[in-house]
Amino acid sequence: FAMDGFLGERTRYRNWFFQGCFCETAATIVSGCTAERTNLWAYCLYTVWMTGIIYPIVVHWTWSGYGWLNYANSDGVYQSTFSSAAYMDFAGSGVIHLVGGVGGLVGAIIVGPRKDRFNPKKADDFLPHSINFIVLGTFILWFGWYGFNPGSTGSMHTYDTAVKSGLVACNTSLAACMAGLTVFLLRFFLTQKIDVAGLCNGILAGLVAVTAPCAVIQPWEAIIIGLVGGLIYQGSSMLIPWLKIDDPVDACSVHLANGLWGIIAVGLFGDKATGFGGNGSFYGGDQLGVQLVA
């Protein structure tokens, strides 16, 4: 409470601020899903619940080193309660984005759609109204992701941590570009129209997808993860409106769908032989099971 005891372990000041930023990210994801029809006080109450109860429990399970998905056994080796592999999620595809995306989906279902949202005669009323702001917001988020992902290394003052941060930055860039291009070209092929908003959300989908595996994969694997992430985003973006769920900014498709893909990708990709810490099933590893349970 009030950082009591931090003097004894002073790195906790940094960790407190860092986790605070991650915690608020999980909460703000929901605002996009429930935009334009949510009472402010209800959103404030939800935010207290998400940041004070839901997120801390999930983080304890996964990142604390003491939870059932990731803890040290008597030999000091990290594992889960049912597997020799511990849950792996470098910067939070599951811990942050999947959690926030599920919260947003539940919120969108509960509050219901905006008036006339699914009235075919009023479809044009719900098109994006400012491409400039969409692009600006995307670049702000993308730039912030280089704090989000490389920053999750925790430090950059040694050779090993600097190399890891560089690898993470490279993979983050490639997955974002590939996912954005995938959605852009797919929508152009389907509609013969240039969809800048789709490009932007595709970029964000790639960023979410690579957030979990970015420290343990090779760059060519990041490209594949981004490609699949773009396809998953597009499929989810079509499914959510078909289910008559009103998600104004496609936050569920960006964060929920690709948060799920991100933690599954950790179980598939990442070769132990590279020395990055991967344990993917494509290389004979046993990581996938714990990722699926998580």
Side-chain angles (χ1 to χ4, degrees), residues 63-181:
W63 281 347
S64 71
Y66 301 98
W68 65 284
L69 288 168
N70 190 340
Y71 70 93
N73 62 22
S74 58
D75 296 325
V77 178
Y78 283 90
Q79 64 175 67
S80 61
T81 56
F82 55 87
S83 170
S84 60
Y87 175 72
M88 192 181 297
D89 186 350
F90 184 71
S93 287
V95 176
I96 298 165
H97 296 284
L98 180 56
V99 169
V102 170
L105 177 64
V106 171
I109 292 171
I110 289 174
V111 300
R114 292 166 289 175
K115 183 180 178 181
D116 292 327
R117 170 63 181 89
F118 298 110
N119 182 347
K121 297 179 181 178
K122 299 289 185 72
D124 289 346
D125 293 348
F126 297 92
L127 295 175
H129 69 281
S130 177
I131 298 299
N132 293 340
F133 280 154
I134 290 172
V135 173
L136 177 62
T138 300
F139 274 107
I140 292 171
L141 280 167
W142 195 350
F143 181 76
W145 235 282
Y146 293 108
F148 203 97
N149 284 7
S152 292
T153 306
S155 61
M156 301 182 188
H157 63 287
T158 67
Y159 176 81
D160 288 341
T161 54
V163 167
K164 178 178 282 190
S165 296
L167 173 68
V168 169
C170 178
N171 289 335
T172 298
S173 302
L174 291 172
C177 292
M178 191 66 204
L181 287 171

Side-chain angles (χ1 to χ4, degrees), residues 6 10-20 154-155 157:
F6 279 22
R10 301 185 183 191
T11 57
R12 289 186 176 182
Y13 292 115
R14 176 194 64 196
N15 294 339
W16 175 85
F17 179 75
F18 195 72
Q19 283 295 335
S155 61
H157 63 287

Side-chain angles (χ1 to χ4, degrees), residues 8-291:
E9 191 175 339
R10 301 185 183 191
T11 57
R12 289 186 176 182
Y13 292 115
R14 176 194 64 196
N15 294 339
W16 175 85
F17 179 75
F18 195 72
Q19 283 295 335
C21 292
F22 274 24
C23 183
E24 67 190 39
T25 301
T28 57
I29 289 169
V30 179
S31 64
C33 298
T34 61
E36 296 189 6
R37 76 272 197 207
T38 305
N39 182 283
L40 177 62
W41 298 113
Y43 184 72
C44 290
L45 286 172
Y46 148 77
T47 300
V48 171
W49 184 265
M50 171 66 90
T51 60
I53 298 176
I54 297 174
Y55 181 82
I57 289 173
V58 173
V59 169
H60 177 75
W61 287 349
T62 53
W63 281 347
S64 71
Y66 301 98
W68 65 284
L69 288 168
N70 190 340
Y71 70 93
N73 62 22
S74 58
D75 296 325
V77 178
Y78 283 90
Q79 64 175 67
S80 61
T81 56
F82 55 87
S83 170
S84 60
Y87 175 72
M88 192 181 297
D89 186 350
F90 184 71
S93 287
V95 176
I96 298 165
H97 296 284
L98 180 56
V99 169
V102 170
L105 177 64
V106 171
I109 292 171
I110 289 174
V111 300
R114 292 166 289 175
K115 183 180 178 181
D116 292 327
R117 170 63 181 89
F118 298 110
N119 182 347
K121 297 179 181 178
K122 299 289 185 72
D124 289 346
D125 293 348
F126 297 92
L127 295 175
H129 69 281
S130 177
I131 298 299
N132 293 340
F133 280 154
I134 290 172
V135 173
L136 177 62
T138 300
F139 274 107
I140 292 171
L141 280 167
W142 195 350
F143 181 76
W145 235 282
Y146 293 108
F148 203 97
N149 284 7
S152 292
T153 306
S155 61
M156 301 182 188
H157 63 287
T158 67
Y159 176 81
D160 288 341
T161 54
V163 167
K164 178 178 282 190
S165 296
L167 173 68
V168 169
C170 178
N171 289 335
T172 298
S173 302
L174 291 172
C177 292
M178 191 66 204
L181 287 171
T182 298
V183 175
F184 180 78
L185 293 174
L186 185 60
R187 291 194 175 184
F188 181 77
F189 176 77
L190 293 174
T191 67
Q192 300 301 304
K193 295 179 180 179
I194 293 176
D195 189 341
V196 176
L199 167 67
C200 290
N201 267 345
I203 289 169
L204 300 181
L207 290 167
V208 171
V210 81
T211 289
C214 57
V216 300
I217 59 174
Q218 299 176 69
W220 67 266
E221 293 174 304
I223 293 173
I224 294 175
I225 290 171
L227 171 64
V228 175
L231 296 174
I232 290 174
Y233 164 76
Q234 181 60 37
S236 176
S237 180
M238 297 166 68
L239 176 64
I240 295 293
W242 183 79
L243 294 172
K244 296 294 189 289
I245 298 171
D246 186 10
D247 180 1
V249 299
D250 260 359
C252 290
S253 301
V254 169
H255 298 281
L256 191 164
N258 274 283
L260 183 59
W261 163 233
I263 61 174
I264 292 173
V266 176
L268 299 174
F269 296 93
D271 187 356
K272 286 183 179 180
T274 63
F276 296 147
N279 186 31
S281 60
F282 288 158
Y283 303 94
D286 60 352
Q287 189 66 42
L288 184 59
V290 66
Q291 301 299 120

